Amino acid sequence: MPHPLLPSMLTARLGLDDDASILDFDVDGVLRPLLAVGLASVPEDAEQAPHQHRKGQLLYATRGVIHCEVESGVWIVPPQCAVWIPGGLMHAAQGVGEAQCYCLFVEPGMAPALPAVCCTVAVSPLLRELIAKAAGFPTLAALQGAQERLVLTLLDELAAAPVEDLHLPMPRDARLRRLAALLLAHPADKRTLAEWASRIGMSERSMTRQSLEEMGMSVGRWRRQLHVILALQRLAQGRSVKAVALELGYENTSGFVTMFRKAVGKPPARYLAERESRRI
């Protein structure tokens, strides 16, 4: 099916004059192991409608942040990370902070070692260069010789890429779904777990047990993960660490930085600065 972000991505690559002429471009119709497309930028108001395609898809953010949603959760893609979306999975994506990215489409049969579930992966310098090289191949021509060998190496490197825990799982239970919606809408709310449980019509014990069963984490950890995701999005938009800390309900910057460091291993400014530096 036509891909919602492809009109802006493929116009130059296909030598077309306007977006309307490629609205019917069929990603699944390109019968080769991998199709890589480079994208100069994703404006913040560029938002995909939910869609799916037969091919697996990799969105690799080189600048800014990509926000990707599937039924089972939300994935955040900071600079020098990528989100892998298996073929056939309904998903939508949006750029945050004038994001720049590459988009890869992979034939399912050519990548049996790739994950069967959506996940965020780190992009090594070698994988980055392979992606950039593949994005320079002619879009519709068949791959030959050295191009085929490079694509096979790219797929091997992608399969070996480490998975990063930048995922916000979404529950199936209707009451927990309501809790997730409330926390997403009011991330700075400081209600206790008992108060949240009462608001959604559950006991605190039942809410905790159900959360662990459905999402693999407690409500408290889920909320911290939400704060990390929202922080990355807002920092990518240019907000200061202090402003983000206050927006998320922290009384001071140090408390927010401590939470962020525990979650990802580094303070927020250093985390994003190191990722941006990998582009050079």
Side-chain angles (χ1 to χ4, degrees):
M1 65 180 292
H3 190 281
L5 280 187
L6 279 180
S8 60
M9 297 169 70
L10 289 178
T11 297
R13 292 288 303 279
L14 297 179
L16 301 175
D17 296 329
D18 55 63
D19 291 349
S21 58
I22 56 171
L23 287 176
D24 294 325
F25 183 80
D26 181 11
V27 169
D28 287 336
V30 180
L31 300 178
R32 70 186 203 190
L34 181 144
L35 168 65
V37 181
L39 179 61
S41 63
V42 183
E44 199 148 347
D45 59 355
E47 182 174 0
Q48 289 181 315
H51 67 286
Q52 64 186 108
H53 33 75
R54 177 177 54 80
K55 293 177 183 286
Q57 180 179 0
L58 185 82
L59 283 171
Y60 163 42
T62 60
R63 174 181 293 174
V65 170
I66 300 293
H67 176 99
C68 182
E69 295 185 26
V70 301
E71 183 180 6
S72 61
V74 176
W75 273 260
I76 184 72
V77 191
Q80 306 312 315
C81 267
V83 60
W84 168 249
I85 307 162
L89 185 66
M90 188 70 70
H91 60 281
Q94 182 177 11
V96 179
E98 288 299 320
Q100 293 182 349
C101 72
Y102 287 100
C103 188
L104 276 64
F105 297 94
V106 182
E107 282 288 346
M110 291 301 302
L114 291 177
V117 296
C118 194
C119 61
T120 304
V121 298
V123 176
S124 68
L126 174 57
L127 181 56
R128 177 190 66 196
E129 295 304 319
L130 290 169
I131 291 172
K133 185 70 173 180
F137 295 163
T139 303
L140 300 179
L143 300 178
Q144 296 180 354
Q147 293 179 342
E148 290 182 311
R149 293 191 294 273
L150 184 141
V151 163
L152 292 176
T153 301
L154 190 162
L155 293 175
D156 285 343
E157 286 296 312
L158 179 56
V163 174
E164 296 207 351
D165 188 18
L166 293 171
H167 166 222
L168 192 68
M170 296 300 287
R172 297 181 302 275
D173 181 89
R175 294 165 298 178
L176 290 181
R177 280 270 183 177
R178 184 181 173 216
L179 173 62
L182 289 168
L183 290 172
L184 281 162
H186 307 287
D189 196 307
K190 296 182 179 180
R191 295 175 204 257
T192 65
L193 291 180
E195 290 171 330
W196 282 117
S198 176
R199 183 164 183 183
I200 63 172
M202 298 180 77
S203 69
E204 183 180 352
R205 183 176 179 181
S206 295
M207 181 181 73
T208 299
R209 184 183 67 251
Q210 192 80 3
S211 174
L212 289 170
E213 289 178 357
E214 292 202 12
M215 300 187 294
M217 62 179 67
S218 67
V219 173
R221 184 184 166 196
W222 190 94
R223 187 168 180 265
R224 289 191 295 274
Q225 191 83 336
L226 169 65
H227 282 186
V228 169
I229 286 177
L230 293 178
L232 286 170
Q233 291 177 336
R234 295 176 187 191
L235 290 168
Q237 292 170 326
R239 290 184 175 91
S240 69
V241 171
K242 181 179 180 179
V244 171
L246 294 176
E247 289 170 6
L248 295 179
Y250 293 83
E251 295 182 359
N252 52 59
T253 303
S254 63
F256 165 71
V257 170
T258 297
M259 179 280 300
F260 193 98
R261 183 189 289 114
K262 287 181 178 179
V264 303
K266 298 172 184 176
R270 179 181 167 194
Y271 179 85
L272 284 177
E274 288 185 358
R275 292 190 173 278
E276 286 289 351
S277 69
R278 294 182 193 176
R279 298 192 316 113
I280 302 172

